[in-house]
Each structure stands twice: as structure tokens, then as C-alpha cells.
Amino acid sequence: MHILVIEDEPQLARHVCSALYRCGHEVRAEYDGAKGLAAVLAAAPDLVVLDLNLPTLDGFEVLERMRKAHSPARVIILTALGDVDHRIKGLNAGADDYLAKPFSMEELVARVEALGRRHATPTAEDILKVADLQMDVRQRRVARGGETITLSPREFELLQVLMEEPGRVFSRTELSDRVWHREHEYDTRTVEIFIARLRKKIDAGFTVPLIHTMRAMGYTIKAAA
């Protein structure tokens, strides 16, 4: 993958670039928000490792401008340990994942690799359908009522899990494990944020909602009875 690291601590940026380069990725770094944003829009990286505390433009502004420019790059935000409000704000702004500082380089590499996998479940059909919602797993395309819906990689993966078994109720912890691969750190708030993002894209403007919350149980996708 082509990865851009936007981090204002040069030594940390060099360590991150070196670790990702050793895994076979093409990596470059920028050290302030404005230059980082310009690099994203000019070079169209596959993935961005984005610090929030940046000079010129902070990470939130960089992320918001990326999404307004329809950048499809996957984004991992770096946040201060325990800074839940910043993490939630970043996810709501369009980030795909987060990592709290201080972090292990092994975990960062694992999160990058997880985001980089454009997998299709071998047992799944190429085309998944629920009512008028259709997903092409191989081409990674989603449409409802014939209108194309643009999803981030994490949104796509979450929707795919739901659509592979319509009507089945998935708990928040299972979705956290299957989509974010957080086997020992169930982050249910992140799941709730992404479900809300999916609802805005999948159900907004349609009379019949497809994504449903089952109280005290989790989430499911299904057509109207």
C-alpha cells in the first residue's frame, strides 16, 4: 500500500515509516497538517496514519477536509491515551480506526494490515441483497434503489457482516471482534458510531429502514416483514 504518515514528531514518524516500510509498504511522512492534507489530495494514498495534534491544521481539520474532498483513503487516527472524546470525534469525522499513544509498533502494523485487507469471505456470494440494497463483494460496490452509496472500508466491512446473514442479530462485541479484530478490547462505542454512519448512508431518505437496533441484544439488517 501507499501510506502517508502525518505526525509532527520527526523521530516517531521515522520509526513508523521504517516499520511499515519493512512490511513492504511505500511510505512517506509529512510533519504538519497543511502539508499533510496537500499530500493526501495530490498523491491519493491508500492509507493515512494521522496524528491529531498537528501544527498549521490539526488532525480533525485534515480529516474533515479529506472527507469533504471525497478522499477514499483509510485513516488511522493517533490519540492520547484515554482521550475518549477525541477518539469519538475522529471516528464521527470519518476515521476508520484509532490507536492510543503510547502504542506498540507491532499493534500499529497489525491495524494497518487489517485495514489494508480487501477481503471477501470465501463462502459469500459475489452479490448480497437485502430488499433494494445490493452489495457487490468483489467490486466493493453498494447501491440502494439503484443509487450508488459510497462507504469507507470499515463501513463496507460492517455492512458486509450484517448482509451475509440478514435477520441475524449481532452483538456489539461480536461486531467489534469481526470488523475491528479487537479480540481482547471490545469497543462497543466505536460499533455504535459506525452503525450510526451506516444508517445515514443506507436508510436516510428511504421510507423503510433496513438497519435495526434490537434492545439489549445488538443490530441486524432485514427487509420489512
Side-chain angles (χ1 to χ4, degrees), residues 33-34 37 41 50-69 89-90 93:
L37 177 62
L41 300 181
L50 178 64
D51 186 29
L52 292 181
N53 186 21
L54 295 167
T56 311
L57 293 177
D58 67 24
F60 293 121
E61 185 70 18
V62 172
L63 181 56
E64 288 171 5
R65 293 193 188 187
M66 283 176 57
R67 294 316 185 206
K68 285 181 180 178
K89 182 178 178 182

Short mmCIF file of all heavy atoms in Angstrom, two decimals, residues 33-34 37 41 50-69 89-90 93:
data_model
loop_
_atom_site.label_atom_id
_atom_site.label_comp_id
_atom_site.label_asym_id
_atom_site.label_seq_id
_atom_site.Cartn_x
_atom_site.Cartn_y
_atom_site.Cartn_z
N GLY A 33 -0.12 19.72 9.43
CA GLY A 33 -1.42 19.39 8.85
C GLY A 33 -1.63 19.88 7.44
O GLY A 33 -2.16 19.15 6.60
N ALA A 34 -1.24 21.11 7.15
CA ALA A 34 -1.48 21.67 5.82
C ALA A 34 -0.73 20.90 4.74
O ALA A 34 -1.28 20.56 3.68
CB ALA A 34 -1.08 23.15 5.78
N LEU A 37 -2.34 17.42 4.35
CA LEU A 37 -3.57 17.45 3.56
C LEU A 37 -3.26 17.61 2.08
O LEU A 37 -3.84 16.92 1.23
CB LEU A 37 -4.45 18.60 4.04
CG LEU A 37 -5.75 18.81 3.25
CD1 LEU A 37 -6.65 17.60 3.34
CD2 LEU A 37 -6.47 20.07 3.74
N LEU A 41 -4.34 14.93 -0.98
CA LEU A 41 -5.14 15.30 -2.15
C LEU A 41 -4.36 15.16 -3.45
O LEU A 41 -4.93 14.90 -4.51
CB LEU A 41 -5.66 16.73 -1.99
CG LEU A 41 -6.55 16.97 -0.76
CD1 LEU A 41 -7.03 18.41 -0.73
CD2 LEU A 41 -7.72 16.00 -0.73
N LEU A 50 -2.70 9.30 10.98
CA LEU A 50 -2.94 10.72 11.22
C LEU A 50 -2.90 11.06 12.71
O LEU A 50 -3.77 10.63 13.48
CB LEU A 50 -4.30 11.12 10.64
CG LEU A 50 -4.77 12.55 10.83
CD1 LEU A 50 -3.84 13.53 10.11
CD2 LEU A 50 -6.21 12.71 10.34
N ASP A 51 -1.91 11.85 13.09
CA ASP A 51 -1.88 12.38 14.45
C ASP A 51 -2.90 13.51 14.56
O ASP A 51 -3.16 14.22 13.58
CB ASP A 51 -0.47 12.90 14.76
CG ASP A 51 -0.32 13.33 16.22
OD1 ASP A 51 -1.03 12.75 17.07
OD2 ASP A 51 0.48 14.23 16.49
N LEU A 52 -3.50 13.68 15.74
CA LEU A 52 -4.48 14.74 15.90
C LEU A 52 -3.87 16.08 16.27
O LEU A 52 -4.37 17.13 15.90
CB LEU A 52 -5.52 14.33 16.96
CG LEU A 52 -6.44 13.16 16.58
CD1 LEU A 52 -7.42 12.88 17.69
CD2 LEU A 52 -7.17 13.42 15.27
N ASN A 53 -2.76 16.05 17.01
CA ASN A 53 -2.14 17.28 17.49
C ASN A 53 -1.06 17.72 16.50
O ASN A 53 0.11 17.38 16.63
CB ASN A 53 -1.54 17.06 18.87
CG ASN A 53 -1.01 18.34 19.49
OD1 ASN A 53 -1.40 19.43 19.09
ND2 ASN A 53 -0.11 18.22 20.44
N LEU A 54 -1.49 18.50 15.50
CA LEU A 54 -0.58 18.91 14.42
C LEU A 54 -0.53 20.43 14.32
O LEU A 54 -1.53 21.10 14.60
CB LEU A 54 -1.06 18.35 13.08
CG LEU A 54 -1.04 16.84 12.89
CD1 LEU A 54 -1.83 16.47 11.64
CD2 LEU A 54 0.40 16.33 12.80
N PRO A 55 0.59 20.99 13.88
CA PRO A 55 0.64 22.43 13.60
C PRO A 55 -0.05 22.76 12.29
O PRO A 55 -0.29 21.88 11.46
CB PRO A 55 2.15 22.70 13.51
CG PRO A 55 2.75 21.40 13.11
CD PRO A 55 1.90 20.33 13.71
N THR A 56 -0.37 24.01 12.10
CA THR A 56 -1.00 24.57 10.90
C THR A 56 -2.47 24.17 10.80
O THR A 56 -3.35 25.01 10.88
CB THR A 56 -0.25 24.18 9.61
OG1 THR A 56 1.13 24.43 9.77
CG2 THR A 56 -0.77 24.98 8.43
N LEU A 57 -2.73 22.89 10.59
CA LEU A 57 -4.08 22.33 10.65
C LEU A 57 -4.03 21.14 11.59
O LEU A 57 -3.15 20.29 11.46
CB LEU A 57 -4.56 21.86 9.28
CG LEU A 57 -4.82 22.88 8.18
CD1 LEU A 57 -5.21 22.16 6.89
CD2 LEU A 57 -5.90 23.87 8.59
N ASP A 58 -4.97 21.05 12.53
CA ASP A 58 -4.96 19.87 13.40
C ASP A 58 -5.54 18.67 12.66
O ASP A 58 -6.09 18.79 11.55
CB ASP A 58 -5.68 20.13 14.73
CG ASP A 58 -7.18 20.36 14.58
OD1 ASP A 58 -7.78 19.89 13.59
OD2 ASP A 58 -7.77 21.00 15.47
N GLY A 59 -5.40 17.51 13.26
CA GLY A 59 -5.83 16.28 12.60
C GLY A 59 -7.30 16.24 12.27
O GLY A 59 -7.71 15.69 11.25
N PHE A 60 -8.15 16.83 13.13
CA PHE A 60 -9.58 16.85 12.86
C PHE A 60 -9.87 17.62 11.57
O PHE A 60 -10.67 17.19 10.74
CB PHE A 60 -10.34 17.51 14.02
CG PHE A 60 -10.30 16.72 15.30
CD1 PHE A 60 -9.77 17.28 16.45
CD2 PHE A 60 -10.78 15.43 15.35
CE1 PHE A 60 -9.73 16.56 17.63
CE2 PHE A 60 -10.75 14.70 16.53
CZ PHE A 60 -10.21 15.27 17.68
N GLU A 61 -9.22 18.77 11.42
CA GLU A 61 -9.44 19.59 10.22
C GLU A 61 -8.94 18.87 8.98
O GLU A 61 -9.59 18.91 7.92
CB GLU A 61 -8.74 20.94 10.38
CG GLU A 61 -9.01 21.93 9.25
CD GLU A 61 -10.43 22.46 9.25
OE1 GLU A 61 -11.11 22.35 10.29
OE2 GLU A 61 -10.85 22.97 8.19
N VAL A 62 -7.80 18.22 9.08
CA VAL A 62 -7.27 17.45 7.95
C VAL A 62 -8.26 16.37 7.55
O VAL A 62 -8.59 16.21 6.36
CB VAL A 62 -5.91 16.81 8.32
CG1 VAL A 62 -5.46 15.85 7.22
CG2 VAL A 62 -4.85 17.88 8.53
N LEU A 63 -8.78 15.64 8.53
CA LEU A 63 -9.71 14.55 8.25
C LEU A 63 -11.01 15.07 7.64
O LEU A 63 -11.52 14.51 6.65
CB LEU A 63 -10.01 13.78 9.54
CG LEU A 63 -10.96 12.58 9.45
CD1 LEU A 63 -10.46 11.58 8.43
CD2 LEU A 63 -11.10 11.93 10.82
N GLU A 64 -11.54 16.13 8.20
CA GLU A 64 -12.79 16.69 7.68
C GLU A 64 -12.62 17.18 6.24
O GLU A 64 -13.50 16.97 5.39
CB GLU A 64 -13.26 17.83 8.58
CG GLU A 64 -13.80 17.33 9.92
CD GLU A 64 -14.07 18.46 10.90
OE1 GLU A 64 -13.92 19.64 10.49
OE2 GLU A 64 -14.43 18.17 12.05
N ARG A 65 -11.49 17.81 5.94
CA ARG A 65 -11.27 18.29 4.57
C ARG A 65 -11.03 17.13 3.61
O ARG A 65 -11.43 17.19 2.44
CB ARG A 65 -10.09 19.26 4.56
CG ARG A 65 -10.36 20.57 5.30
CD ARG A 65 -9.30 21.61 4.99
NE ARG A 65 -9.43 22.79 5.83
CZ ARG A 65 -8.73 23.89 5.69
NH1 ARG A 65 -7.82 23.99 4.70
NH2 ARG A 65 -8.89 24.92 6.50
N MET A 66 -10.38 16.07 4.09
CA MET A 66 -10.21 14.88 3.26
C MET A 66 -11.56 14.32 2.84
O MET A 66 -11.78 14.01 1.67
CB MET A 66 -9.44 13.80 4.04
CG MET A 66 -7.96 14.00 4.16
SD MET A 66 -7.21 12.71 5.20
CE MET A 66 -7.72 11.21 4.32
N ARG A 67 -12.45 14.18 3.81
CA ARG A 67 -13.75 13.57 3.51
C ARG A 67 -14.61 14.50 2.65
O ARG A 67 -15.36 14.03 1.78
CB ARG A 67 -14.46 13.19 4.81
CG ARG A 67 -13.77 12.08 5.61
CD ARG A 67 -13.30 10.94 4.76
NE ARG A 67 -12.76 9.82 5.52
CZ ARG A 67 -11.87 8.96 5.06
NH1 ARG A 67 -11.40 9.10 3.81
NH2 ARG A 67 -11.45 7.97 5.81
N LYS A 68 -14.52 15.81 2.87
CA LYS A 68 -15.25 16.74 2.02
C LYS A 68 -14.76 16.68 0.58
O LYS A 68 -15.52 16.92 -0.37
CB LYS A 68 -15.12 18.16 2.56
CG LYS A 68 -15.96 18.43 3.80
CD LYS A 68 -15.81 19.86 4.28
CE LYS A 68 -16.64 20.11 5.53
NZ LYS A 68 -16.47 21.50 6.05
N ALA A 69 -13.46 16.36 0.41
CA ALA A 69 -12.88 16.22 -0.93
C ALA A 69 -13.08 14.81 -1.48
O ALA A 69 -12.56 14.47 -2.54
CB ALA A 69 -11.40 16.56 -0.90
N LYS A 89 -14.81 11.84 18.32
CA LYS A 89 -14.89 12.92 17.33
C LYS A 89 -14.19 12.52 16.04
O LYS A 89 -14.70 12.78 14.94
CB LYS A 89 -14.25 14.19 17.90
CG LYS A 89 -14.33 15.39 16.96
CD LYS A 89 -13.72 16.64 17.59
CE LYS A 89 -13.77 17.83 16.65
NZ LYS A 89 -13.14 19.04 17.25
N GLY A 90 -13.04 11.86 16.14
CA GLY A 90 -12.32 11.41 14.95
C GLY A 90 -13.09 10.36 14.17
O GLY A 90 -13.17 10.41 12.93
N ALA A 93 -15.88 11.92 12.36
CA ALA A 93 -15.42 12.73 11.22
C ALA A 93 -15.03 11.89 10.02
O ALA A 93 -14.78 12.43 8.95
CB ALA A 93 -14.25 13.60 11.65
#
